[in-house]
């Protein structure tokens, strides 16, 4: 082989490999679900129905709200852990309040283990609220369930914005905001987030959805990011909320 070909061939191979790496696509299916501890709108307590919905949808991440951790009313069961076992996912819990010998709050199911997690207190005069922050290699996931009190809802949004201002990765924020108007949520977050879920579809109550209080939002996503699917499941009564999810794709 001639000397210049010995140089040219490895360089060409490296260029091809570099091009392949820069075009690698990340895909993510992200669900948000207020599960009401597995108690359906029909008042039947059945965590298996919730797990069935999650397994049928096959998300990579599930933001969960209204979870008990070893409370007396749930006979000491660790609800996030049970859902993790039923779905084959890693489970994390974030306490909002102490309750009945255990705790009550939000949580996360994920195919991959988070690199790190944080708990951020949020205002709530009827009960304390939290923002749960979980970091993954390519993005940060935030889960919340805001207060029923409008003043506390509005006070929570700037806190969430300040926390996510420090993130150097794309942020996915999901949960039950208890706020009916999407524009109020987005304006309260300072215009830094954009809706990923369908803001025209109602999410509550699950038997006859008439209001929208559950959202999936994104911040700092790459320009190449596209929503390939957005869905609200109005066919299930496993909770008083409808589950919602989005599928995202972007080039790295």
């Amino acid at each position: 082989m001639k000397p210049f070909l010995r140089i040219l061939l490895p360089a060409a191979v490296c260029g091809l490999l570099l091009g392949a790496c820069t075009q690698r696509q990340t895909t993510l299916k992200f669900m948000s679900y207020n599960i009401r501890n597995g108690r359906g709108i029909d008042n039947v307590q059945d965590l298996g129905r919730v797990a069935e919905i999650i397994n049928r949808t096959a998300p990579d991440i599930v933001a969960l709200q209204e979870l008990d951790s070893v409370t007396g009313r749930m006979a000491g069961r660790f609800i996030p852990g049970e859902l993790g076992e039923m779905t084959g996912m890693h489970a994390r819990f974030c306490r909002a309040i102490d309750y009945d010998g255990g705790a009550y709050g939000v949580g996360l199911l994920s195919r991959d283990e988070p690199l790190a997690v944080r708990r951020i207190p949020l205002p709530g005069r009827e009960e304390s609220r939290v923002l749960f922050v979980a970091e993954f290699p390519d993005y940060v996931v935030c889960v919340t369930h805001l207060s029923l009190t409008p003043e506390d809802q509005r006070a929570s949004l700037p806190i969430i914005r300040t926390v996510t201002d420090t993130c150097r990765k794309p942020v996915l924020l999901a949960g039950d905001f208890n706020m009916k108007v999407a524009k109020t949520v987005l304006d309260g977050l300072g215009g830094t987030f954009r809706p990923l879920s369908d803001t025209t579809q109602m999410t509550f109550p699950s038997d006859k959805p008439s209001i929208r209080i559950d959202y999936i939002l994104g911040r700092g996503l790459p320009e190449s990011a596209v929503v390939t699917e957005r869905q609200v499941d109005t066919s299930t009564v496993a909770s008083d909320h409808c589950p919602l999810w989005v599928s995202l794709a972007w080039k790295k």
Side-chain angles (χ1 to χ4, degrees), residues 82-145:
E82 288 189 24
L83 281 174
E85 291 179 3
M86 292 178 184
T87 60
M89 302 176 80
H90 297 283
R92 291 297 186 102
F93 174 75
C94 182
R95 177 186 59 81
I97 60 171
D98 295 327
Y99 185 82
D100 196 13
Y104 175 76
V106 301
L108 191 72
L109 298 177
S110 59
R111 298 291 173 196
D112 299 319
E113 188 77 24
L115 300 175
V117 297
R118 286 189 292 161
R119 176 186 180 274
I120 310 296
L122 295 177
R125 61 197 67 188
E126 80 289 352
E127 64 182 51
S128 298
R129 305 288 174 154
V130 290
L131 176 71
F132 182 47
V133 183
E135 182 182 356
F136 293 88
D138 296 324
Y139 46 83
V140 173
V141 172
C142 297
V143 186
T144 196
H145 182 188

